[in-house]
Amino acid sequence: MELDLEKHLAEAAASIEDAADLDALSEVDTALLGKKSAVTAAKRGLGDLEPDQRREMGGRLNEARATIEGLVASRRTELEAAARVVRLEAERMDLTEADRGRRLGHRHVVTQTWDRLEDLFVGMGYTVAEGPEIEDEWHNFGALNFPLGHPARDMYDTLYVDYGEPQSTLLRTHTSPVQIRVMEAGEPPFYSIMPGRVFRSDTADATHMPVFHQLEALVVDRDITFGDLAGTLEAFTTAYFGEGFTTRLRPSYFPFTEPSAEFDVQRPDGSWLELGGCGMVHPEVLRAGGLDPEEWSGFAFGFGLDRLALMRHGIDDLRELFRNDHRFLSQF
Ligand code: FA5
Protein backbone atom coordinates (compact mmCIF):
# COMPACT_ATOMS: atom_id res chain seq x y z
CA MET A 1 0.00 0.00 0.00
CA GLU A 2 1.34 3.41 -1.04
CA LEU A 3 1.70 5.77 1.92
CA ASP A 4 0.87 9.40 1.17
CA LEU A 5 3.66 10.82 3.29
CA GLU A 6 2.58 14.47 3.01
CA LYS A 7 -0.92 13.64 4.20
CA HIS A 8 0.38 11.25 6.88
CA LEU A 9 2.73 13.89 8.26
CA ALA A 10 -0.06 16.50 8.38
CA GLU A 11 -2.36 14.07 10.23
CA ALA A 12 0.46 13.02 12.56
CA ALA A 13 1.22 16.66 13.43
CA ALA A 14 -2.49 17.27 14.16
CA SER A 15 -2.87 14.22 16.42
CA ILE A 16 0.35 15.07 18.28
CA GLU A 17 -0.93 18.59 18.82
CA ASP A 18 -4.29 17.18 20.02
CA ALA A 19 -2.73 14.95 22.68
CA ALA A 20 -4.05 16.60 25.85
CA ASP A 21 -1.69 14.95 28.35
CA LEU A 22 1.40 12.77 28.55
CA ASP A 23 -0.58 9.51 28.55
CA ALA A 24 -2.44 10.54 25.41
CA LEU A 25 0.85 11.57 23.80
CA SER A 26 2.40 8.23 24.56
CA GLU A 27 -0.52 6.50 22.82
CA VAL A 28 -0.15 8.76 19.80
CA ASP A 29 3.59 8.06 19.80
CA THR A 30 3.00 4.29 19.68
CA ALA A 31 0.38 4.65 16.98
CA LEU A 32 2.67 6.79 14.79
CA LEU A 33 6.02 5.11 15.31
CA GLY A 34 5.32 1.70 16.91
CA LYS A 35 5.43 -1.72 15.29
CA LYS A 36 1.90 -1.36 13.97
CA SER A 37 2.34 2.15 12.65
CA ALA A 38 1.94 3.15 9.00
CA VAL A 39 5.58 4.26 8.82
CA THR A 40 6.85 0.91 10.11
CA ALA A 41 4.53 -0.95 7.72
CA ALA A 42 5.76 1.18 4.82
CA LYS A 43 9.36 0.46 5.80
CA ARG A 44 8.61 -3.22 5.90
CA GLY A 45 7.23 -2.93 2.32
CA LEU A 46 10.47 -1.36 0.99
CA GLY A 47 11.82 -4.79 0.10
CA ASP A 48 9.26 -5.09 -2.68
CA LEU A 49 10.54 -1.95 -4.44
CA GLU A 50 13.19 -1.45 -7.06
CA PRO A 51 16.60 -0.52 -5.61
CA ASP A 52 16.37 3.16 -6.71
CA GLN A 53 12.84 3.60 -5.50
CA ARG A 54 13.73 1.74 -2.33
CA ARG A 55 16.58 4.13 -1.62
CA GLU A 56 14.49 7.20 -2.28
CA MET A 57 11.44 5.96 -0.38
CA GLY A 58 13.64 4.71 2.49
CA GLY A 59 15.19 8.16 2.80
CA ARG A 60 11.83 9.88 2.84
CA LEU A 61 10.49 7.43 5.42
CA ASN A 62 13.50 8.09 7.69
CA GLU A 63 12.98 11.82 7.36
CA ALA A 64 9.26 11.41 8.11
CA ARG A 65 10.09 9.32 11.16
CA ALA A 66 12.60 11.93 12.39
CA THR A 67 10.04 14.70 11.85
CA ILE A 68 7.39 12.80 13.83
CA GLU A 69 9.90 12.04 16.61
CA GLY A 70 10.78 15.74 16.79
CA LEU A 71 7.13 16.76 16.99
CA VAL A 72 6.44 14.20 19.73
CA ALA A 73 9.49 15.35 21.71
CA SER A 74 8.55 19.00 21.61
CA ARG A 75 4.92 18.25 22.51
CA ARG A 76 6.22 16.13 25.42
CA THR A 77 8.31 19.07 26.68
CA GLU A 78 5.22 21.29 26.53
CA LEU A 79 3.00 18.79 28.35
CA GLU A 80 5.64 18.12 31.02
CA ALA A 81 5.92 21.82 31.76
CA ALA A 82 2.14 22.10 32.03
CA ALA A 83 2.01 19.04 34.32
CA ARG A 84 4.68 20.58 36.57
CA VAL A 85 2.63 23.76 36.93
CA VAL A 86 -0.46 21.70 37.88
CA ARG A 87 1.54 19.65 40.37
CA LEU A 88 3.14 22.69 42.01
CA GLU A 89 -0.25 24.30 42.35
CA ALA A 90 -1.66 21.15 43.97
CA GLU A 91 1.28 20.77 46.34
CA ARG A 92 1.48 24.42 47.32
CA MET A 93 1.17 24.70 51.09
CA ASP A 94 -0.70 27.58 52.61
CA LEU A 95 0.92 27.85 56.02
CA THR A 96 -1.78 30.15 57.34
CA GLU A 97 -4.38 27.57 56.31
CA ALA A 98 -2.52 24.79 58.13
CA ASP A 99 -2.94 26.73 61.37
CA ARG A 100 -6.59 27.54 60.93
CA GLY A 101 -8.84 25.76 63.41
CA ARG A 102 -5.98 25.14 65.81
CA ARG A 103 -5.91 26.79 69.22
CA LEU A 104 -3.40 29.58 69.54
CA GLY A 105 -1.23 29.71 72.65
CA HIS A 106 -2.11 32.17 75.36
CA ARG A 107 -0.62 33.75 78.43
CA HIS A 108 -0.14 31.63 81.54
CA VAL A 109 -2.83 32.06 84.18
CA VAL A 110 -0.28 33.66 86.57
CA THR A 111 0.74 36.16 83.86
CA GLN A 112 -2.94 36.91 83.24
CA THR A 113 -3.40 37.55 86.96
CA TRP A 114 -0.32 39.77 87.02
CA ASP A 115 -1.56 41.80 84.02
CA ARG A 116 -5.09 42.08 85.39
CA LEU A 117 -3.82 43.36 88.74
CA GLU A 118 -1.54 45.90 87.07
CA ASP A 119 -4.49 47.17 85.03
CA LEU A 120 -6.64 47.38 88.11
CA PHE A 121 -4.11 49.35 90.17
CA VAL A 122 -3.05 51.57 87.28
CA GLY A 123 -6.76 52.36 86.95
CA MET A 124 -6.71 53.49 90.60
CA GLY A 125 -3.78 55.84 89.90
CA TYR A 126 -0.85 53.62 90.97
CA THR A 127 2.44 53.31 89.11
CA VAL A 128 4.29 50.00 88.60
CA ALA A 129 7.83 49.61 90.00
CA GLU A 130 10.43 46.84 89.81
CA GLY A 131 13.40 45.69 91.82
CA PRO A 132 16.13 43.04 91.44
CA GLU A 133 15.47 39.36 92.17
CA ILE A 134 18.98 39.03 93.60
CA GLU A 135 18.98 41.43 96.53
CA ASP A 136 21.34 42.59 99.21
CA GLU A 137 20.69 41.80 102.83
CA TRP A 138 20.03 45.49 103.60
CA HIS A 139 17.08 45.91 101.24
CA ASN A 140 15.53 42.49 101.94
CA PHE A 141 15.94 42.68 105.74
CA GLY A 142 17.93 45.54 107.33
CA ALA A 143 16.03 48.48 105.90
CA LEU A 144 12.78 46.66 106.65
CA ASN A 145 13.56 46.77 110.37
CA PHE A 146 14.88 43.22 110.73
CA PRO A 147 18.11 43.89 112.67
CA LEU A 148 20.98 41.42 112.10
CA GLY A 149 20.40 38.29 114.14
CA HIS A 150 16.77 39.27 114.73
CA PRO A 151 14.69 36.08 115.03
CA ALA A 152 12.11 37.50 112.58
CA ARG A 153 14.62 36.79 109.79
CA ASP A 154 13.83 33.15 110.40
CA MET A 155 10.25 33.83 109.23
CA TYR A 156 11.68 33.31 105.78
CA ASP A 157 13.68 30.31 104.64
CA THR A 158 16.18 32.39 102.77
CA LEU A 159 18.26 31.19 99.81
CA TYR A 160 21.65 32.92 99.95
CA VAL A 161 23.84 33.56 96.94
CA ASP A 162 27.53 32.72 97.24
CA TYR A 163 28.73 36.27 96.58
CA GLY A 164 30.55 38.83 98.75
CA GLU A 165 30.40 38.49 102.56
CA PRO A 166 28.56 35.40 103.85
CA GLN A 167 24.78 36.01 103.85
CA SER A 168 25.16 39.45 102.25
CA THR A 169 23.49 38.54 98.97
CA LEU A 170 20.29 36.57 98.57
CA LEU A 171 17.35 35.68 96.36
CA ARG A 172 14.71 38.10 97.62
CA THR A 173 12.24 36.37 99.92
CA HIS A 174 9.48 38.91 99.30
CA THR A 175 8.75 42.01 97.19
CA SER A 176 8.97 44.35 100.22
CA PRO A 177 12.60 45.39 99.43
CA VAL A 178 11.18 47.18 96.39
CA GLN A 179 9.38 49.52 98.86
CA ILE A 180 12.81 50.76 99.95
CA ARG A 181 13.99 51.09 96.34
CA VAL A 182 10.91 53.16 95.48
CA MET A 183 11.55 55.47 98.46
CA GLU A 184 15.24 55.79 97.54
CA ALA A 185 14.48 56.60 93.91
CA GLY A 186 11.82 59.30 94.22
CA GLU A 187 9.97 61.82 96.31
CA PRO A 188 6.63 61.14 98.02
CA PRO A 189 3.71 60.91 97.60
CA PHE A 190 4.05 57.29 96.40
CA TYR A 191 1.21 55.16 95.08
CA SER A 192 3.09 52.17 93.67
CA ILE A 193 2.67 48.48 93.09
CA MET A 194 5.60 46.10 92.71
CA PRO A 195 4.80 42.71 91.24
CA GLY A 196 7.61 40.18 91.04
CA ARG A 197 9.10 36.76 91.54
CA VAL A 198 10.32 35.73 94.99
CA PHE A 199 12.18 32.72 96.39
CA ARG A 200 12.10 30.70 99.62
CA SER A 201 13.37 27.24 100.40
CA ASP A 202 9.76 26.19 101.09
CA THR A 203 8.70 22.65 100.20
CA ALA A 204 6.10 22.60 97.42
CA ASP A 205 2.61 21.69 98.59
CA ALA A 206 -0.97 22.66 97.73
CA THR A 207 -0.43 26.27 98.89
CA HIS A 208 3.37 26.73 98.74
CA MET A 209 6.02 26.85 96.02
CA PRO A 210 9.75 27.58 96.45
CA VAL A 211 9.49 30.12 93.60
CA PHE A 212 6.32 32.17 93.54
CA HIS A 213 5.04 35.66 92.85
CA GLN A 214 3.97 38.53 95.04
CA LEU A 215 2.34 41.84 94.44
CA GLU A 216 3.48 44.55 96.81
CA ALA A 217 1.77 47.90 97.24
CA LEU A 218 3.16 51.00 98.89
CA VAL A 219 1.30 54.20 99.59
CA VAL A 220 3.10 57.09 101.27
CA ASP A 221 1.43 60.44 101.57
CA ARG A 222 0.33 62.88 104.25
CA ASP A 223 -2.24 61.64 106.81
CA ILE A 224 -2.62 58.11 105.50
CA THR A 225 -4.57 55.94 107.96
CA PHE A 226 -5.39 52.28 108.54
CA GLY A 227 -8.88 53.13 107.18
CA ASP A 228 -7.26 53.98 103.82
CA LEU A 229 -5.53 50.59 103.85
CA ALA A 230 -8.74 48.67 104.65
CA GLY A 231 -10.69 50.63 102.02
CA THR A 232 -8.03 49.98 99.36
CA LEU A 233 -7.96 46.23 100.11
CA GLU A 234 -11.74 46.12 99.91
CA ALA A 235 -11.79 48.03 96.61
CA PHE A 236 -9.17 45.83 95.00
CA THR A 237 -10.56 42.49 96.15
CA THR A 238 -14.09 43.37 95.01
CA ALA A 239 -12.72 44.52 91.64
CA TYR A 240 -10.57 41.40 91.26
CA PHE A 241 -12.82 38.66 92.65
CA GLY A 242 -16.24 40.20 92.08
CA GLU A 243 -19.02 40.53 94.62
CA GLY A 244 -19.76 37.67 96.99
CA PHE A 245 -16.20 36.87 98.10
CA THR A 246 -15.73 37.26 101.84
CA THR A 247 -12.47 38.66 103.17
CA ARG A 248 -11.12 39.28 106.66
CA LEU A 249 -8.20 41.01 108.36
CA ARG A 250 -6.45 39.31 111.28
CA PRO A 251 -3.93 41.00 113.61
CA SER A 252 -0.43 39.82 112.82
CA TYR A 253 3.22 40.79 113.03
CA PHE A 254 5.73 42.05 110.49
CA PRO A 255 8.82 44.03 111.57
CA PHE A 256 8.23 46.59 108.79
CA THR A 257 4.61 47.46 109.57
CA GLU A 258 2.92 48.61 112.77
CA PRO A 259 0.14 47.73 113.30
CA SER A 260 0.20 44.67 111.04
CA ALA A 261 -2.50 42.36 109.79
CA GLU A 262 -2.97 39.33 107.66
CA PHE A 263 -5.56 39.19 104.95
CA ASP A 264 -7.61 36.06 104.21
CA VAL A 265 -10.19 35.12 101.58
CA GLN A 266 -12.90 32.54 102.17
CA ARG A 267 -13.03 29.55 99.82
CA PRO A 268 -16.34 28.21 98.51
CA ASP A 269 -16.03 25.30 100.98
CA GLY A 270 -15.99 27.81 103.84
CA SER A 271 -12.27 27.46 104.70
CA TRP A 272 -9.98 30.51 104.70
CA LEU A 273 -6.81 30.99 102.67
CA GLU A 274 -4.19 33.54 103.68
CA LEU A 275 -3.53 35.86 100.75
CA GLY A 276 -1.15 38.40 102.19
CA GLY A 277 0.18 40.67 104.87
CA CYS A 278 -0.37 44.38 105.36
CA GLY A 279 0.00 47.24 107.78
CA MET A 280 1.03 50.83 108.34
CA VAL A 281 4.63 51.44 107.24
CA HIS A 282 6.88 51.34 110.32
CA PRO A 283 8.58 54.70 111.14
CA GLU A 284 11.99 52.97 111.01
CA VAL A 285 11.25 51.85 107.45
CA LEU A 286 10.29 55.38 106.38
CA ARG A 287 13.56 56.57 107.92
CA ALA A 288 15.55 53.85 106.12
CA GLY A 289 13.94 55.09 102.90
CA GLY A 290 15.09 58.64 103.68
CA LEU A 291 11.67 60.00 104.74
CA ASP A 292 10.65 61.88 107.91
CA PRO A 293 7.98 59.83 109.74
CA GLU A 294 6.69 63.05 111.34
CA GLU A 295 5.77 64.33 107.91
CA TRP A 296 4.84 61.19 106.00
CA SER A 297 2.76 58.14 106.76
CA GLY A 298 1.82 55.19 104.66
CA PHE A 299 0.54 51.67 104.31
CA ALA A 300 1.86 48.63 102.51
CA PHE A 301 0.62 45.20 101.61
CA GLY A 302 2.05 42.14 99.90
CA PHE A 303 0.01 39.33 98.36
CA GLY A 304 0.74 35.94 96.94
CA LEU A 305 -0.12 36.46 93.30
CA ASP A 306 -0.29 32.73 92.56
CA ARG A 307 -2.68 32.26 95.45
CA LEU A 308 -4.89 35.02 94.06
CA ALA A 309 -5.08 33.12 90.74
CA LEU A 310 -5.85 29.92 92.70
CA MET A 311 -8.75 31.53 94.52
CA ARG A 312 -10.20 33.31 91.57
CA HIS A 313 -10.25 30.26 89.32
CA GLY A 314 -11.21 27.71 91.98
CA ILE A 315 -7.97 25.70 91.56
CA ASP A 316 -7.23 23.60 94.63
CA ASP A 317 -3.51 22.90 94.24
CA LEU A 318 -0.88 25.56 93.55
CA ARG A 319 1.45 22.96 91.99
CA GLU A 320 -1.00 22.52 89.10
CA LEU A 321 -0.05 26.00 87.90
CA PHE A 322 3.57 25.00 87.36
CA ARG A 323 3.32 21.45 86.00
CA ASN A 324 2.97 22.88 82.50
CA ASP A 325 0.26 20.43 81.56
CA HIS A 326 -1.26 22.00 78.50
CA ARG A 327 -4.66 20.34 79.10
CA PHE A 328 -4.84 22.04 82.49
CA LEU A 329 -3.46 25.45 81.50
CA SER A 330 -5.60 25.77 78.37
CA GLN A 331 -8.68 26.05 80.59
CA PHE A 332 -7.74 29.55 81.69
C1 FA5 B 1 5.42 38.77 103.30
O1 FA5 B 1 6.10 38.27 102.42
C2 FA5 B 1 5.38 40.25 103.55
N1 FA5 B 1 6.44 40.86 102.80
C3 FA5 B 1 4.02 40.78 103.16
C4 FA5 B 1 3.79 42.20 103.60
C5 FA5 B 1 4.02 43.21 102.70
C6 FA5 B 1 3.38 42.47 104.88
C7 FA5 B 1 3.82 44.54 103.10
C8 FA5 B 1 3.15 43.79 105.31
C9 FA5 B 1 3.38 44.80 104.38
P1 FA5 B 1 4.31 36.51 103.96
O2 FA5 B 1 5.54 35.76 104.22
O3 FA5 B 1 3.13 36.23 104.83
O4 FA5 B 1 4.54 38.07 104.02
O5 FA5 B 1 3.91 36.26 102.47
C10 FA5 B 1 2.88 37.00 101.84
C11 FA5 B 1 2.01 36.09 100.99
O6 FA5 B 1 2.79 35.41 100.03
C12 FA5 B 1 1.34 34.98 101.75
O7 FA5 B 1 0.18 35.46 102.38
C13 FA5 B 1 1.00 34.01 100.66
O8 FA5 B 1 -0.15 34.42 99.94
C14 FA5 B 1 2.19 34.16 99.76
N2 FA5 B 1 3.16 33.10 100.01
C15 FA5 B 1 4.04 32.99 101.03
N3 FA5 B 1 4.80 31.90 100.89
C16 FA5 B 1 4.41 31.31 99.75
C17 FA5 B 1 4.81 30.15 99.03
N4 FA5 B 1 5.83 29.38 99.44
N5 FA5 B 1 4.16 29.82 97.88
C18 FA5 B 1 3.16 30.61 97.42
N6 FA5 B 1 2.73 31.72 98.04
C19 FA5 B 1 3.34 32.07 99.20
Side-chain angles (χ1 to χ4, degrees):
M1 193 185 70
E2 264 293 312
L3 175 62
D4 181 343
L5 267 184
E6 296 293 314
K7 192 167 161 235
H8 184 67
L9 275 180
E11 284 169 0
S15 62
I16 289 168
E17 193 56 41
D18 284 350
D21 56 32
L22 288 165
D23 285 345
L25 182 65
S26 145
E27 277 173 29
V28 171
D29 185 21
T30 309
L32 292 173
L33 301 169
K35 281 191 197 128
K36 293 179 183 156
S37 67
V39 173
T40 305
K43 238 184 163 174
R44 222 177 281 129
L46 287 178
D48 302 337
L49 300 177
E50 293 301 314
D52 280 357
Q53 264 187 311
R54 192 193 304 159
R55 203 174 307 117
E56 195 224 321
M57 194 56 191
R60 287 177 57 205
L61 279 174
N62 282 344
E63 257 175 50
R65 192 178 174 87
T67 306
I68 293 172
E69 280 172 353
L71 289 172
V72 168
S74 74
R75 181 69 182 145
R76 178 170 292 122
T77 308
E78 266 173 39
L79 288 173
E80 278 172 354
R84 195 174 316 120
V85 169
V86 170
R87 199 178 61 238
L88 285 181
E89 187 59 33
E91 289 175 356
R92 193 165 62 105
M93 235 203 283
D94 179 347
L95 294 177
T96 60
E97 199 170 65
D99 227 24
R100 219 167 283 151
R102 270 207 225 157
R103 284 192 60 126
L104 290 176
H106 69 292
R107 285 167 308 154
H108 190 277
V109 60
V110 171
T111 314
Q112 291 177 37
T113 304
W114 180 318
D115 289 350
R116 194 172 285 139
L117 290 170
E118 280 192 2
D119 285 352
L120 216 145
F121 278 100
V122 167
M124 299 199 301
Y126 285 66
T127 56
V128 181
E130 277 185 354
E133 292 180 347
I134 298 177
E135 258 300 3
D136 54 57
E137 168 288 318
W138 166 251
H139 285 93
N140 196 82
F141 289 128
L144 291 167
N145 200 29
F146 293 81
L148 267 178
H150 190 287
R153 290 196 183 203
D154 300 337
M155 282 163 66
Y156 305 115
D157 295 310
T158 310
L159 293 159
Y160 288 94
V161 176
D162 188 7
Y163 179 82
E165 293 292 305
Q167 306 212 334
S168 64
T169 311
L170 45 81
L171 297 181
R172 66 179 177 192
T173 58
H174 52 174
T175 41
S176 299
V178 194
Q179 289 186 31
I180 305 297
R181 294 192 175 272
V182 166
M183 290 189 247
E184 285 169 346
E187 295 296 323
F190 300 118
Y191 290 81
S192 294
I193 55 158
M194 302 141 242
R197 191 157 58 150
V198 301
F199 309 83
R200 295 181 192 177
S201 60
D202 282 348
T203 307
D205 64 22
T207 52
H208 293 84
M209 288 297 289
V211 179
F212 60 103
H213 303 84
Q214 288 189 338
L215 182 123
E216 191 86 9
L218 174 70
V219 167
V220 175
D221 205 338
R222 293 192 165 85
D223 304 322
I224 295 292
T225 67
F226 201 91
D228 296 319
L229 167 60
T232 304
L233 289 175
E234 182 71 27
F236 127 73
T237 45
T238 309
Y240 181 71
F241 289 110
E243 300 289 341
F245 264 80
T246 316
T247 55
R248 72 177 181 197
L249 281 174
R250 263 178 310 119
S252 186
Y253 170 76
F254 297 99
F256 39 96
T257 46
E258 179 59 35
S260 303
E262 245 152 351
F263 184 83
D264 304 331
V265 169
Q266 194 166 30
R267 291 190 171 107
D269 68 3
S271 65
W272 294 88
L273 180 66
E274 176 200 313
L275 279 191
C278 61
M280 301 306 290
V281 182
H282 196 288
E284 284 305 324
V285 175
L286 291 171
R287 255 184 226 113
L291 304 180
D292 178 359
E294 299 298 322
E295 188 181 356
W296 301 102
S297 57
F299 67 73
F301 56 82
F303 286 97
L305 213 148
D306 323 81
R307 286 200 193 171
L308 277 177
L310 206 75
M311 290 299 291
R312 181 176 163 142
H313 297 286
I315 302 164
D316 46 40
D317 194 322
L318 201 52
R319 289 167 292 192
E320 294 285 1
L321 297 180
F322 304 105
R323 283 206 178 100
N324 279 343
D325 182 339
H326 175 71
R327 289 163 303 178
F328 174 80
L329 292 174
S330 62
Q331 300 175 87
F332 307 103

